[in-house]
Amino acid sequence: MEYVLLLAVAVLILVFKDRPVMMLKFEQGELKQTKGNVPSGFLHGCKDIAHREPFTGQIKVYKNRFTTKLVFSKDVPAKVKQKIHNVFPFSSNNKKSGRRQA
């Protein structure tokens, strides 16, 4: 019985663990920490945006089978979020969205 309980706890930990593909952490407009394989163009674009409009916050990128998703911390202003979305190299469009083909 204990083994089943331990197995259930292990599965829950693996399922609910925060596992971003890449992460960028900024403090007052300077890049302090990166994790994962960050494309160089995206990294330079984010550094440029942070230099022009200094902010403190965290950007995480999650990827599943269908989409790549950017998640920002609460500290990142809306204008900066939009600029970073514009620099992000992976489009969030999937095959199902867009015009319908007859």
Side-chain angles (χ1 to χ4, degrees), residues 9-74:
V9 169
V11 168
L12 287 174
I13 289 173
L14 288 174
V15 168
F16 291 110
K17 183 180 176 192
D18 188 28
R19 292 177 283 177
V21 176
M22 59 182 123
M23 184 190 71
L24 300 147
K25 187 180 279 189
F26 290 91
E27 289 182 17
Q28 297 302 321
E30 289 188 31
L31 182 65
K32 292 293 181 181
Q33 184 180 12
T34 62
K35 287 185 180 179
N37 187 14
V38 183
S40 61
F42 180 59
L43 184 64
H44 292 300
C46 287
K47 283 182 181 179
D48 187 40
I49 292 167
H51 179 71
R52 291 180 186 187
E53 295 184 33
F55 67 94
T56 299
Q58 204 172 34
I59 304 166
K60 292 182 181 179
V61 180
Y62 294 96
K63 187 172 185 174
N64 65 14
R65 255 175 70 184
F66 305 108
T67 62
T68 305
K69 180 177 164 184
L70 281 169
V71 176
F72 299 93
S73 63
K74 289 189 278 185

Side-chain angles (χ1 to χ4, degrees), residues 83-94:
K83 289 179 181 180
I84 291 173
H85 270 290
N86 293 342
V87 174
F88 192 57
F90 305 106
S91 67
S92 61
N93 299 338
N94 58 14

Side-chain angles (χ1 to χ4, degrees), residues 1-14:
M1 182 67 178
E2 294 88 23
Y3 295 113
V4 174
L5 190 59
L6 288 174
L7 181 64
V9 169
V11 168
L12 287 174
I13 289 173
L14 288 174

